[in-house]
Amino acid sequence: MVILFDLDGTLTDSGEGITKCAQLALNYFGIHIEDRMQLRCFVGPPLRESFPKFGVPENRVEEAITVFRSRYLTVGKFENVPYPGIETLLQTLKEQGHRLYVATSKPESTAVEILNKFELSKYFIRICGASMDSGRDSKEAVIAYLLELEGRAQKTVMVGDTAFDVIGAAAHKIPTIGVSWGYGDVDEMRSSGACAIANTPEELCNLLMQEAEKA
């Protein structure tokens, strides 16, 4: 079975770095959000979709992204840690013969760097992410890119923590198992069509085994 993993909020807890960088970029526009918990919604979705929700004018979104990345690409990307149990999960799935990929809306080069730092890259056949321009930044577009490169397997499952993962995978008729430990809303994932919700990596492993048996 082919398993596509989201990165932020699914494999690693990247909230500290992302929210601090979002706060910096919003401050640049005179938009002051003191409570970084309000910026958790920046974890996962494309930045181009998130900044306008906080009042950044559409014609200045690219400027906001530049400010965000000025901190993120030097400091913020390392304010990040794998969730407990994730490496054991990946090791188990790979040993079982599943083909593992990453499909993230984070820029691909940054995703590779982060997974290399945590020595998780070895579990994945390919790490696919967004391009640095706006040409490929949605989950749907990233998955389309991955399928174009790798071809489509008979049985493929997405694993992610937000409705964006569910919707992006559904565009390619790929079911999604949501995880509750990330930054998305479980009810939104369910209403968007998630086939199941896992509360721990161990539970996720069991759900993936059940999906594999359906193949």
Side-chain angles (χ1 to χ4, degrees):
M1 182 169 71
V2 169
I3 306 171
L4 313 181
F5 281 92
D6 173 52
L7 178 55
D8 294 331
T10 300
L11 297 176
T12 68
D13 185 353
S14 54
E16 179 183 355
I18 290 174
T19 57
K20 283 182 177 178
C21 294
Q23 189 177 49
L24 173 72
L26 291 172
N27 284 343
Y28 174 84
F29 288 92
I31 303 167
H32 302 293
I33 307 293
E34 299 301 328
D35 182 4
R36 285 192 294 108
M37 289 294 289
Q38 296 180 41
L39 304 177
R40 286 167 57 91
C41 59
F42 274 86
V43 183
L47 294 173
R48 290 175 180 84
E49 296 183 17
S50 298
F51 277 117
K53 295 177 182 178
F54 284 83
V56 175
E58 290 283 354
N59 64 346
R60 300 191 70 186
V61 167
E62 294 303 318
E63 190 177 353
I65 292 172
T66 297
V67 176
F68 177 99
R69 287 178 175 164
S70 70
R71 183 183 188 278
Y72 188 78
L73 294 177
T74 54
V75 178
K77 63 188 176 186
F78 295 126
E79 295 169 323
N80 195 354
V81 64
Y83 286 106
I86 285 298
E87 183 164 12
T88 299
L89 168 71
L90 297 175
Q91 183 175 7
T92 298
L93 293 172
K94 187 171 183 179
E95 288 174 351
Q96 290 174 348
H98 300 296
R99 295 168 57 83
L100 311 183
Y101 295 84
V102 170
T104 175
S105 296
K106 182 185 291 300
E108 187 170 302
S109 58
T110 307
V112 170
E113 190 173 7
I114 289 168
L115 289 166
N116 283 342
K117 173 181 170 59
F118 296 127
E119 299 184 354
L120 297 178
S121 298
K122 61 190 175 186
Y123 297 108
F124 299 101
I125 295 171
R126 186 182 290 271
I127 298 165
C128 287
S131 54
M132 292 300 284
D133 59 22
S134 59
R136 185 178 73 244
D137 65 352
S138 70
K139 189 56 60 84
E140 179 181 348
V142 170
I143 294 175
Y145 172 64
L146 191 156
L147 294 176
E148 181 181 345
L149 291 174
E150 296 292 323
R152 187 177 184 112
Q154 185 174 4
K155 182 66 175 179
T156 303
V157 176
M158 178 77 205
V159 177
D161 71 310
T162 71
F164 292 94
D165 298 307
V166 182
I167 295 167
H172 300 283
K173 298 183 172 19
I174 296 172
T176 298
I177 296 176
V179 300
S180 64
W181 57 78
Y183 288 80
D185 183 281
V186 169
D187 290 335
E188 286 184 4
M189 284 191 283
R190 285 199 176 102
S191 63
S192 297
C195 64
I197 301 293
N199 297 305
T200 65
E202 294 78 14
E203 188 175 340
L204 174 58
C205 190
N206 291 333
L207 289 168
L208 288 167
M209 288 179 186
Q210 292 172 22
E211 285 296 314
E213 290 172 0
K214 296 176 185 178

